[in-house]
């Protein structure tokens, strides 16, 4: 029997995960059955279980994909943010998140992930890890401003946590109210934090 390539396996896993994401967005994590995923993916039960032994594994994989996506966007924005105002960096993050939401319902999945993390300790730990990394990225930009004599009175870590809290509010509004409701957010953060 011929061996399948790692690329084939990765493609199959990605296809199944994309189908699971569509089901989760449509029905929620707990109202989606494995049969829903089999049907959506056009795969047999055995093919799906080969990559995801349980629905919880699919939930964690979907959440991880979402968290990595948002974290990667912030890392890229922060890396290019040296010497720029913090508002433009946060605005870039919000614009990229909105674009990903249009393609992958990122904000809707984020809301489900937050809720699920209350009952799933592994997911809660993964969420905390991502938040810590994102806070560290923002804190490094805040420290630059503090070294330039701005933004005193609070630690860089505290300020980063406050600044980062804009993202959940943005995601909540995007998921529940739609893109038009958040279209002004990037401009507002640019005005709020021009330096």
């Amino acid at each position: 029997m011929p061996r399948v390539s790692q690329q084939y396996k990765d493609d199959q896993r990605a296809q199944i995960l994309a189908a699971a994401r569509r089901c989760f967005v449509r029905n929620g994590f707990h109202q989606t059955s494995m049969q829903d995923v089999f049907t959506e993916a056009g795969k047999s039960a055995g093919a799906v279980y080969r990559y995801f032994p349980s629905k919880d594994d699919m939930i964690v994989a979907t959440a991880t994909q979402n968290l990595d996506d948002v974290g990667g966007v912030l890392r890229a924005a922060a890396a290019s943010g040296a010497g720029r105002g913090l508002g433009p960096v946060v605005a870039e993050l919000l614009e990229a998140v909105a674009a990903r939401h249009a393609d992958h319902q990122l904000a809707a999945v984020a809301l489900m992930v937050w809720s699920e993390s209350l009952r799933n300790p592994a997911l809660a730990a993964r969420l905390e890890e991502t938040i810590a990394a994102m806070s560290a990225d923002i804190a490094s930009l805040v420290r630059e401003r503090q070294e330039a004599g701005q933004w005193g009175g609070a630690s860089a870590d505290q300020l980063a946590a406050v600044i980062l809290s804009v993202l959940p509010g943005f995601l909540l509004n995007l998921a529940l109210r739609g893109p038009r409701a958040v279209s002004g957010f990037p401009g507002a953060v640019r005005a709020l934090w021009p330096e």
Side-chain angles (χ1 to χ4, degrees):
M1 182 167 152
R3 299 185 80 189
V4 296
S5 70
Q6 185 60 45
Q7 183 63 49
Y8 174 83
K9 291 177 184 177
D10 292 346
D11 290 346
Q12 291 298 303
R13 185 179 189 283
Q15 187 179 41
I16 293 164
L17 193 55
R21 175 185 281 273
R22 289 188 301 272
C23 290
F24 293 151
V25 167
R26 191 170 48 243
N27 303 321
F29 286 149
H30 297 291
Q31 293 302 311
T32 296
S33 69
M34 290 301 283
Q35 185 61 51
D36 294 334
V37 176
F38 307 153
T39 302
E40 185 77 22
K43 305 277 184 203
S44 68
V48 172
Y49 283 123
R50 181 175 301 125
Y51 297 96
F52 299 99
S54 71
K55 187 170 72 171
D56 271 351
D57 292 318
M58 276 190 257
I59 291 170
V60 170
T62 299
T64 297
Q65 187 179 57
N66 233 46
L67 293 168
D68 289 348
D69 198 12
V70 174
V73 167
L74 178 58
R75 263 188 311 284
S80 70
R84 290 185 356 188
L86 191 62
V89 171
V90 176
E92 186 178 317
L93 169 66
L94 300 182
E95 290 163 346
V97 165
R100 282 166 173 74
H101 175 74
D103 294 337
H104 303 291
Q105 295 296 303
L106 188 134
V109 173
L111 267 60
M112 289 186 285
V113 167
W114 300 337
S115 177
E116 185 68 12
S117 70
L118 297 175
R119 74 160 207 89
N120 183 326
L123 189 53
R126 182 66 178 89
L127 182 59
E128 178 57 34
E129 177 184 311
T130 300
I131 292 169
M134 292 174 75
S135 291
D137 289 336
I138 295 288
S140 68
L141 296 174
V142 170
R143 280 187 197 89
E144 286 179 17
R145 274 70 185 170
Q146 289 179 326
E147 289 167 6
Q150 303 166 333
W151 295 16
S155 76
D157 292 334
Q158 291 167 335
L159 289 170
V162 169
I163 292 164
L164 190 58
S165 70
V166 168
L167 181 59
F170 177 81
L171 288 166
L172 178 68
N173 277 282
L174 180 57
L176 297 180
R177 300 177 60 218
R180 293 180 74 191
V182 297
S183 63
F185 276 46
V189 297
R190 282 184 180 98
L192 187 60
W193 300 307
E195 298 182 19

